[in-house]
Amino acid sequence: MALTMMTYLFNILQDGFFAAIAATGFASISNPPRQAYKYCALIAALGHATRYVLTHNAYGEMHLIGASFIASLVIGVLTVFLAPRAKCPAETFSFPALLPMIPGMYAYRTIEALLLCLTNQEEHAFNHYFYLLSYNGLTCTFIILGMVVGATLPIFLFKNTSFKATR
């Protein structure tokens, strides 16, 4: 039991660590101030770790769409309240922190299923690949939609706090 719990905690920390590295890399593309990197890494690690905990727990695993929405809400709230501290707009932190949560495998499988759907003449194979196309495409679309809504909702709800960073 103790080994399992230690493994679970290690997996959470590992997931957050790699998300922090990815977010720092994505943040460097937009050339933010130097102090913004640590906030990007922290917010991405906490957001991604939240999604990991929601999708991998013993009390009932949440679907990736709902977990991504809640994790992006966490990212949005953290960016709103850390932006004035770093004296940067909230978007400086939220976009790089969200990028490691992009569902790349679902997008890849959507395009793969589309190509296989178009190249198969047999009805049974076409129906199978069309099912894969719609499942992966809808999953990818709703994950991204949930991430966008979850990250921008706190910016609009806490308008006074979020725009305090740029004043």
Side-chain angles (χ1 to χ4, degrees):
M1 179 67 177
L3 181 63
T4 310
M5 186 61 146
M6 289 298 291
T7 305
Y8 182 65
L9 290 175
F10 177 74
N11 289 342
I12 294 170
L13 291 174
Q14 181 181 11
D15 188 67
F17 176 73
F18 287 122
I21 291 174
T24 304
F26 287 127
S28 67
I29 295 170
S30 59
N31 198 17
R34 192 173 282 254
Q35 74 267 15
Y37 288 111
K38 62 184 173 189
Y39 293 112
C40 287
L42 175 69
I43 291 168
L46 291 174
H48 216 279
T50 300
R51 185 173 85 163
Y52 183 85
V53 168
L54 291 173
T55 56
H56 298 88
N57 63 57
Y59 303 109
E61 297 174 349
M62 187 180 280
H63 194 272
L64 190 59
I65 295 172
S68 296
F69 173 71
I70 293 172
S72 65
L73 271 175
V74 169
I75 288 173
V77 169
L78 287 172
T79 57
V80 165
F81 289 109
L82 290 177
R85 182 176 212 151
K87 297 179 177 68
C88 292
E91 294 82 9
T92 305
F93 310 122
S94 63
F95 297 145
L98 286 173
L99 284 173
M101 292 196 326
I102 297 283
M105 188 55 74
Y106 286 102
Y108 174 80
R109 288 179 183 159
T110 300
I111 299 303
E112 179 185 35
L114 174 67
L115 294 174
L116 290 171
C117 190
L118 293 174
T119 58
N120 275 303
Q121 304 277 328
E122 186 182 327
E123 184 178 357
H124 179 69
F126 176 84
N127 288 337
H128 173 70
Y129 292 125
F130 190 75
Y131 165 76
L132 291 176
L133 169 69
S134 31
Y135 174 77
N136 290 317
L138 287 172
T139 303
C140 181
T141 301
F142 281 109
I143 289 173
I144 292 173
L145 184 65
M147 288 171 41
V148 167
V149 170
T152 56
L153 197 61
I155 293 173
F156 292 126
L157 289 177
F158 304 109
K159 191 181 292 188
N160 292 336
T161 306
S162 65
F163 293 117
K164 217 184 271 185
T166 56
R167 288 184 195 155

mmCIF file of all heavy atoms in Angstrom, residues 33-71:
data_model
loop_
_atom_site.group_PDB
_atom_site.id
_atom_site.type_symbol
_atom_site.label_atom_id
_atom_site.label_comp_id
_atom_site.label_asym_id
_atom_site.label_seq_id
_atom_site.Cartn_x
_atom_site.Cartn_y
_atom_site.Cartn_z
ATOM 1 N N PRO A 33 8.994 38.464 -19.783
ATOM 2 C CA PRO A 33 10.026 38.888 -18.835
ATOM 3 C C PRO A 33 10.618 37.682 -18.104
ATOM 4 O O PRO A 33 9.977 36.641 -17.963
ATOM 5 C CB PRO A 33 9.271 39.787 -17.847
ATOM 6 C CG PRO A 33 8.019 40.159 -18.530
ATOM 7 C CD PRO A 33 7.711 39.097 -19.517
ATOM 8 N N ARG A 34 11.830 37.835 -17.620
ATOM 9 C CA ARG A 34 12.548 36.724 -16.998
ATOM 10 C C ARG A 34 11.811 36.149 -15.794
ATOM 11 O O ARG A 34 11.823 34.948 -15.576
ATOM 12 C CB ARG A 34 13.940 37.190 -16.601
ATOM 13 C CG ARG A 34 14.869 36.084 -16.212
ATOM 14 C CD ARG A 34 16.263 36.618 -16.004
ATOM 15 N NE ARG A 34 16.918 36.844 -17.267
ATOM 16 C CZ ARG A 34 17.871 36.064 -17.746
ATOM 17 N NH1 ARG A 34 18.252 35.031 -17.060
ATOM 18 N NH2 ARG A 34 18.438 36.318 -18.890
ATOM 19 N N GLN A 35 11.167 36.996 -14.997
ATOM 20 C CA GLN A 35 10.479 36.505 -13.795
ATOM 21 C C GLN A 35 9.219 35.707 -14.135
ATOM 22 O O GLN A 35 8.663 35.024 -13.292
ATOM 23 C CB GLN A 35 10.136 37.641 -12.827
ATOM 24 C CG GLN A 35 8.999 38.532 -13.260
ATOM 25 C CD GLN A 35 9.444 39.750 -14.021
ATOM 26 O OE1 GLN A 35 10.578 39.830 -14.477
ATOM 27 N NE2 GLN A 35 8.559 40.729 -14.171
ATOM 28 N N ALA A 36 8.758 35.779 -15.378
ATOM 29 C CA ALA A 36 7.531 35.075 -15.765
ATOM 30 C C ALA A 36 7.738 33.580 -15.935
ATOM 31 O O ALA A 36 6.791 32.804 -15.813
ATOM 32 C CB ALA A 36 6.982 35.664 -17.058
ATOM 33 N N TYR A 37 8.964 33.142 -16.181
ATOM 34 C CA TYR A 37 9.214 31.723 -16.428
ATOM 35 C C TYR A 37 8.861 30.853 -15.229
ATOM 36 O O TYR A 37 8.278 29.783 -15.382
ATOM 37 C CB TYR A 37 10.669 31.488 -16.828
ATOM 38 C CG TYR A 37 10.997 31.985 -18.205
ATOM 39 C CD1 TYR A 37 11.833 33.071 -18.396
ATOM 40 C CD2 TYR A 37 10.463 31.361 -19.324
ATOM 41 C CE1 TYR A 37 12.139 33.519 -19.663
ATOM 42 C CE2 TYR A 37 10.760 31.811 -20.598
ATOM 43 C CZ TYR A 37 11.596 32.882 -20.757
ATOM 44 O OH TYR A 37 11.885 33.334 -22.015
ATOM 45 N N LYS A 38 9.203 31.305 -14.045
ATOM 46 C CA LYS A 38 8.913 30.478 -12.867
ATOM 47 C C LYS A 38 7.414 30.367 -12.622
ATOM 48 O O LYS A 38 6.921 29.321 -12.209
ATOM 49 C CB LYS A 38 9.638 31.009 -11.630
ATOM 50 C CG LYS A 38 9.242 32.402 -11.213
ATOM 51 C CD LYS A 38 10.072 32.882 -10.036
ATOM 52 C CE LYS A 38 9.765 34.337 -9.762
ATOM 53 N NZ LYS A 38 10.655 34.916 -8.793
ATOM 54 N N TYR A 39 6.674 31.432 -12.923
ATOM 55 C CA TYR A 39 5.218 31.375 -12.776
ATOM 56 C C TYR A 39 4.592 30.458 -13.828
ATOM 57 O O TYR A 39 3.654 29.722 -13.539
ATOM 58 C CB TYR A 39 4.615 32.775 -12.845
ATOM 59 C CG TYR A 39 5.000 33.646 -11.678
ATOM 60 C CD1 TYR A 39 5.832 34.742 -11.855
ATOM 61 C CD2 TYR A 39 4.543 33.363 -10.401
ATOM 62 C CE1 TYR A 39 6.185 35.546 -10.784
ATOM 63 C CE2 TYR A 39 4.887 34.156 -9.324
ATOM 64 C CZ TYR A 39 5.715 35.250 -9.526
ATOM 65 O OH TYR A 39 6.059 36.033 -8.456
ATOM 66 N N CYS A 40 5.109 30.534 -15.056
ATOM 67 C CA CYS A 40 4.611 29.639 -16.110
ATOM 68 C C CYS A 40 4.823 28.179 -15.719
ATOM 69 O O CYS A 40 3.924 27.345 -15.878
ATOM 70 C CB CYS A 40 5.320 29.917 -17.428
ATOM 71 S SG CYS A 40 4.836 31.421 -18.250
ATOM 72 N N ALA A 41 6.011 27.887 -15.213
ATOM 73 C CA ALA A 41 6.320 26.511 -14.825
ATOM 74 C C ALA A 41 5.442 26.051 -13.664
ATOM 75 O O ALA A 41 4.900 24.938 -13.685
ATOM 76 C CB ALA A 41 7.799 26.403 -14.449
ATOM 77 N N LEU A 42 5.275 26.900 -12.667
ATOM 78 C CA LEU A 42 4.460 26.544 -11.505
ATOM 79 C C LEU A 42 2.997 26.325 -11.889
ATOM 80 O O LEU A 42 2.371 25.330 -11.494
ATOM 81 C CB LEU A 42 4.562 27.642 -10.440
ATOM 82 C CG LEU A 42 3.673 27.470 -9.216
ATOM 83 C CD1 LEU A 42 4.164 26.286 -8.382
ATOM 84 C CD2 LEU A 42 3.637 28.732 -8.398
ATOM 85 N N ILE A 43 2.450 27.231 -12.682
ATOM 86 C CA ILE A 43 1.040 27.131 -13.073
ATOM 87 C C ILE A 43 0.806 25.901 -13.949
ATOM 88 O O ILE A 43 -0.171 25.175 -13.769
ATOM 89 C CB ILE A 43 0.603 28.426 -13.783
ATOM 90 C CG1 ILE A 43 0.578 29.573 -12.775
ATOM 91 C CG2 ILE A 43 -0.743 28.262 -14.443
ATOM 92 C CD1 ILE A 43 0.447 30.938 -13.397
ATOM 93 N N ALA A 44 1.708 25.642 -14.875
ATOM 94 C CA ALA A 44 1.557 24.463 -15.728
ATOM 95 C C ALA A 44 1.668 23.176 -14.914
ATOM 96 O O ALA A 44 0.894 22.234 -15.134
ATOM 97 C CB ALA A 44 2.613 24.465 -16.826
ATOM 98 N N ALA A 45 2.597 23.141 -13.981
ATOM 99 C CA ALA A 45 2.763 21.942 -13.157
ATOM 100 C C ALA A 45 1.527 21.680 -12.304
ATOM 101 O O ALA A 45 1.040 20.543 -12.227
ATOM 102 C CB ALA A 45 3.999 22.084 -12.265
ATOM 103 N N LEU A 46 0.979 22.714 -11.705
ATOM 104 C CA LEU A 46 -0.210 22.534 -10.873
ATOM 105 C C LEU A 46 -1.443 22.179 -11.707
ATOM 106 O O LEU A 46 -2.246 21.336 -11.311
ATOM 107 C CB LEU A 46 -0.470 23.790 -10.045
ATOM 108 C CG LEU A 46 0.548 24.064 -8.936
ATOM 109 C CD1 LEU A 46 0.274 25.407 -8.278
ATOM 110 C CD2 LEU A 46 0.540 22.958 -7.916
ATOM 111 N N GLY A 47 -1.577 22.795 -12.866
ATOM 112 C CA GLY A 47 -2.707 22.486 -13.739
ATOM 113 C C GLY A 47 -2.648 21.070 -14.277
ATOM 114 O O GLY A 47 -3.636 20.328 -14.253
ATOM 115 N N HIS A 48 -1.493 20.680 -14.761
ATOM 116 C CA HIS A 48 -1.348 19.338 -15.326
ATOM 117 C C HIS A 48 -1.448 18.273 -14.241
ATOM 118 O O HIS A 48 -2.023 17.202 -14.463
ATOM 119 C CB HIS A 48 -0.014 19.234 -16.063
ATOM 120 C CG HIS A 48 -0.074 18.396 -17.290
ATOM 121 N ND1 HIS A 48 0.000 17.029 -17.251
ATOM 122 C CD2 HIS A 48 -0.215 18.723 -18.597
ATOM 123 C CE1 HIS A 48 -0.072 16.553 -18.481
ATOM 124 N NE2 HIS A 48 -0.207 17.564 -19.322
ATOM 125 N N ALA A 49 -0.895 18.551 -13.066
ATOM 126 C CA ALA A 49 -1.010 17.606 -11.957
ATOM 127 C C ALA A 49 -2.462 17.461 -11.517
ATOM 128 O O ALA A 49 -2.906 16.363 -11.147
ATOM 129 C CB ALA A 49 -0.130 18.047 -10.787
ATOM 130 N N THR A 50 -3.218 18.556 -11.582
ATOM 131 C CA THR A 50 -4.650 18.483 -11.260
ATOM 132 C C THR A 50 -5.366 17.559 -12.226
ATOM 133 O O THR A 50 -6.169 16.716 -11.826
ATOM 134 C CB THR A 50 -5.282 19.887 -11.318
ATOM 135 O OG1 THR A 50 -4.625 20.732 -10.370
ATOM 136 C CG2 THR A 50 -6.764 19.843 -11.019
ATOM 137 N N ARG A 51 -5.066 17.704 -13.494
ATOM 138 C CA ARG A 51 -5.692 16.829 -14.490
ATOM 139 C C ARG A 51 -5.288 15.376 -14.276
ATOM 140 O O ARG A 51 -6.107 14.466 -14.391
ATOM 141 C CB ARG A 51 -5.326 17.276 -15.906
ATOM 142 C CG ARG A 51 -6.055 16.457 -16.958
ATOM 143 C CD ARG A 51 -5.826 16.988 -18.331
ATOM 144 N NE ARG A 51 -4.594 16.454 -18.875
ATOM 145 C CZ ARG A 51 -4.284 16.480 -20.164
ATOM 146 N NH1 ARG A 51 -5.098 17.054 -21.029
ATOM 147 N NH2 ARG A 51 -3.159 15.986 -20.589
ATOM 148 N N TYR A 52 -4.034 15.154 -13.925
ATOM 149 C CA TYR A 52 -3.572 13.786 -13.673
ATOM 150 C C TYR A 52 -4.313 13.170 -12.485
ATOM 151 O O TYR A 52 -4.751 12.023 -12.546
ATOM 152 C CB TYR A 52 -2.064 13.777 -13.412
ATOM 153 C CG TYR A 52 -1.521 12.382 -13.211
ATOM 154 C CD1 TYR A 52 -1.160 11.604 -14.300
ATOM 155 C CD2 TYR A 52 -1.392 11.841 -11.945
ATOM 156 C CE1 TYR A 52 -0.685 10.324 -14.128
ATOM 157 C CE2 TYR A 52 -0.931 10.558 -11.762
ATOM 158 C CZ TYR A 52 -0.565 9.801 -12.857
ATOM 159 O OH TYR A 52 -0.105 8.526 -12.678
ATOM 160 N N VAL A 53 -4.451 13.924 -11.417
ATOM 161 C CA VAL A 53 -5.145 13.413 -10.227
ATOM 162 C C VAL A 53 -6.608 13.113 -10.553
ATOM 163 O O VAL A 53 -7.158 12.100 -10.103
ATOM 164 C CB VAL A 53 -5.029 14.412 -9.053
ATOM 165 C CG1 VAL A 53 -5.968 14.060 -7.925
ATOM 166 C CG2 VAL A 53 -3.597 14.471 -8.554
ATOM 167 N N LEU A 54 -7.242 13.956 -11.327
ATOM 168 C CA LEU A 54 -8.651 13.738 -11.657
ATOM 169 C C LEU A 54 -8.855 12.531 -12.565
ATOM 170 O O LEU A 54 -9.893 11.875 -12.500
ATOM 171 C CB LEU A 54 -9.242 14.983 -12.310
ATOM 172 C CG LEU A 54 -9.408 16.188 -11.393
ATOM 173 C CD1 LEU A 54 -9.841 17.403 -12.196
ATOM 174 C CD2 LEU A 54 -10.402 15.888 -10.295
ATOM 175 N N THR A 55 -7.889 12.234 -13.416
ATOM 176 C CA THR A 55 -8.042 11.101 -14.328
ATOM 177 C C THR A 55 -7.452 9.807 -13.794
ATOM 178 O O THR A 55 -7.722 8.749 -14.347
ATOM 179 C CB THR A 55 -7.395 11.408 -15.697
ATOM 180 O OG1 THR A 55 -6.027 11.749 -15.510
ATOM 181 C CG2 THR A 55 -8.129 12.511 -16.409
ATOM 182 N N HIS A 56 -6.641 9.865 -12.739
ATOM 183 C CA HIS A 56 -6.007 8.666 -12.189
ATOM 184 C C HIS A 56 -6.170 8.635 -10.667
ATOM 185 O O HIS A 56 -5.231 8.918 -9.935
ATOM 186 C CB HIS A 56 -4.510 8.644 -12.495
ATOM 187 C CG HIS A 56 -4.179 8.608 -13.943
ATOM 188 N ND1 HIS A 56 -4.048 9.751 -14.696
ATOM 189 C CD2 HIS A 56 -3.964 7.573 -14.781
ATOM 190 C CE1 HIS A 56 -3.754 9.416 -15.928
ATOM 191 N NE2 HIS A 56 -3.707 8.100 -16.013
ATOM 192 N N ASN A 57 -7.349 8.315 -10.196
ATOM 193 C CA ASN A 57 -7.517 8.198 -8.748
ATOM 194 C C ASN A 57 -8.395 7.000 -8.430
ATOM 195 O O ASN A 57 -9.062 6.452 -9.301
ATOM 196 C CB ASN A 57 -8.071 9.493 -8.129
ATOM 197 C CG ASN A 57 -9.445 9.833 -8.633
ATOM 198 O OD1 ASN A 57 -10.371 9.038 -8.505
ATOM 199 N ND2 ASN A 57 -9.587 11.017 -9.199
ATOM 200 N N ALA A 58 -8.371 6.602 -7.191
ATOM 201 C CA ALA A 58 -9.100 5.402 -6.769
ATOM 202 C C ALA A 58 -10.564 5.679 -6.473
ATOM 203 O O ALA A 58 -11.333 4.753 -6.261
ATOM 204 C CB ALA A 58 -8.421 4.813 -5.540
ATOM 205 N N TYR A 59 -10.980 6.940 -6.452
ATOM 206 C CA TYR A 59 -12.343 7.290 -6.066
ATOM 207 C C TYR A 59 -13.282 7.464 -7.251
ATOM 208 O O TYR A 59 -14.408 7.864 -7.085
ATOM 209 C CB TYR A 59 -12.340 8.566 -5.220
ATOM 210 C CG TYR A 59 -11.480 8.429 -4.002
ATOM 211 C CD1 TYR A 59 -10.287 9.113 -3.899
ATOM 212 C CD2 TYR A 59 -11.851 7.595 -2.962
ATOM 213 C CE1 TYR A 59 -9.487 8.980 -2.782
ATOM 214 C CE2 TYR A 59 -11.060 7.451 -1.840
ATOM 215 C CZ TYR A 59 -9.882 8.149 -1.772
ATOM 216 O OH TYR A 59 -9.098 8.000 -0.658
ATOM 217 N N GLY A 60 -12.825 7.207 -8.412
ATOM 218 C CA GLY A 60 -13.642 7.379 -9.602
ATOM 219 C C GLY A 60 -12.919 8.264 -10.590
ATOM 220 O O GLY A 60 -12.771 9.456 -10.356
ATOM 221 N N GLU A 61 -12.444 7.673 -11.652
ATOM 222 C CA GLU A 61 -11.671 8.428 -12.627
ATOM 223 C C GLU A 61 -12.593 9.278 -13.493
ATOM 224 O O GLU A 61 -13.588 8.799 -14.013
ATOM 225 C CB GLU A 61 -10.859 7.470 -13.484
ATOM 226 C CG GLU A 61 -9.851 6.686 -12.665
ATOM 227 C CD GLU A 61 -9.132 5.628 -13.476
ATOM 228 O OE1 GLU A 61 -9.550 5.363 -14.621
ATOM 229 O OE2 GLU A 61 -8.174 5.075 -12.955
ATOM 230 N N MET A 62 -12.231 10.525 -13.651
ATOM 231 C CA MET A 62 -12.999 11.466 -14.462
ATOM 232 C C MET A 62 -12.555 11.348 -15.913
ATOM 233 O O MET A 62 -11.392 11.033 -16.196
ATOM 234 C CB MET A 62 -12.771 12.885 -13.948
ATOM 235 C CG MET A 62 -13.628 13.933 -14.602
ATOM 236 S SD MET A 62 -13.308 15.578 -13.948
ATOM 237 C CE MET A 62 -14.257 15.504 -12.458
ATOM 238 N N HIS A 63 -13.457 11.602 -16.828
ATOM 239 C CA HIS A 63 -13.104 11.593 -18.246
ATOM 240 C C HIS A 63 -12.150 12.748 -18.531
ATOM 241 O O HIS A 63 -12.156 13.769 -17.839
ATOM 242 C CB HIS A 63 -14.360 11.711 -19.103
ATOM 243 C CG HIS A 63 -14.107 11.385 -20.545
ATOM 244 N ND1 HIS A 63 -13.702 12.336 -21.441
ATOM 245 C CD2 HIS A 63 -14.193 10.225 -21.230
ATOM 246 C CE1 HIS A 63 -13.548 11.781 -22.631
ATOM 247 N NE2 HIS A 63 -13.852 10.488 -22.522
ATOM 248 N N LEU A 64 -11.358 12.574 -19.556
ATOM 249 C CA LEU A 64 -10.331 13.562 -19.891
ATOM 250 C C LEU A 64 -10.920 14.930 -20.231
ATOM 251 O O LEU A 64 -10.296 15.956 -19.955
ATOM 252 C CB LEU A 64 -9.492 13.038 -21.063
ATOM 253 C CG LEU A 64 -8.240 13.798 -21.417
ATOM 254 C CD1 LEU A 64 -7.285 13.841 -20.233
ATOM 255 C CD2 LEU A 64 -7.567 13.174 -22.604
ATOM 256 N N ILE A 65 -12.118 14.961 -20.787
ATOM 257 C CA ILE A 65 -12.732 16.246 -21.145
ATOM 258 C C ILE A 65 -13.042 17.061 -19.888
ATOM 259 O O ILE A 65 -12.659 18.227 -19.789
ATOM 260 C CB ILE A 65 -14.013 16.021 -21.979
ATOM 261 C CG1 ILE A 65 -13.662 15.379 -23.312
ATOM 262 C CG2 ILE A 65 -14.745 17.334 -22.200
ATOM 263 C CD1 ILE A 65 -14.860 14.941 -24.118
ATOM 264 N N GLY A 66 -13.710 16.465 -18.933
ATOM 265 C CA GLY A 66 -14.032 17.173 -17.687
ATOM 266 C C GLY A 66 -12.798 17.511 -16.877
ATOM 267 O O GLY A 66 -12.695 18.593 -16.288
ATOM 268 N N ALA A 67 -11.841 16.586 -16.839
ATOM 269 C CA ALA A 67 -10.608 16.836 -16.090
ATOM 270 C C ALA A 67 -9.801 17.972 -16.714
ATOM 271 O O ALA A 67 -9.219 18.792 -15.997
ATOM 272 C CB ALA A 67 -9.773 15.564 -16.021
ATOM 273 N N SER A 68 -9.779 18.046 -18.026
ATOM 274 C CA SER A 68 -9.062 19.139 -18.694
ATOM 275 C C SER A 68 -9.740 20.476 -18.435
ATOM 276 O O SER A 68 -9.069 21.501 -18.266
ATOM 277 C CB SER A 68 -8.983 18.881 -20.200
ATOM 278 O OG SER A 68 -8.231 17.738 -20.468
ATOM 279 N N PHE A 69 -11.072 20.473 -18.403
ATOM 280 C CA PHE A 69 -11.797 21.704 -18.100
ATOM 281 C C PHE A 69 -11.481 22.196 -16.689
ATOM 282 O O PHE A 69 -11.175 23.373 -16.480
ATOM 283 C CB PHE A 69 -13.303 21.486 -18.261
ATOM 284 C CG PHE A 69 -14.132 22.651 -17.800
ATOM 285 C CD1 PHE A 69 -14.154 23.828 -18.524
ATOM 286 C CD2 PHE A 69 -14.871 22.575 -16.635
ATOM 287 C CE1 PHE A 69 -14.905 24.910 -18.103
ATOM 288 C CE2 PHE A 69 -15.630 23.642 -16.199
ATOM 289 C CZ PHE A 69 -15.643 24.814 -16.934
ATOM 290 N N ILE A 70 -11.533 21.297 -15.708
ATOM 291 C CA ILE A 70 -11.246 21.687 -14.320
ATOM 292 C C ILE A 70 -9.790 22.114 -14.173
ATOM 293 O O ILE A 70 -9.490 23.105 -13.492
ATOM 294 C CB ILE A 70 -11.618 20.550 -13.363
ATOM 295 C CG1 ILE A 70 -13.131 20.363 -13.365
ATOM 296 C CG2 ILE A 70 -11.110 20.822 -11.948
ATOM 297 C CD1 ILE A 70 -13.618 19.154 -12.611
ATOM 298 N N ALA A 71 -8.877 21.399 -14.817
ATOM 299 C CA ALA A 71 -7.465 21.780 -14.751
ATOM 300 C C ALA A 71 -7.229 23.144 -15.390
ATOM 301 O O ALA A 71 -6.437 23.943 -14.884
ATOM 302 C CB ALA A 71 -6.608 20.718 -15.429
#
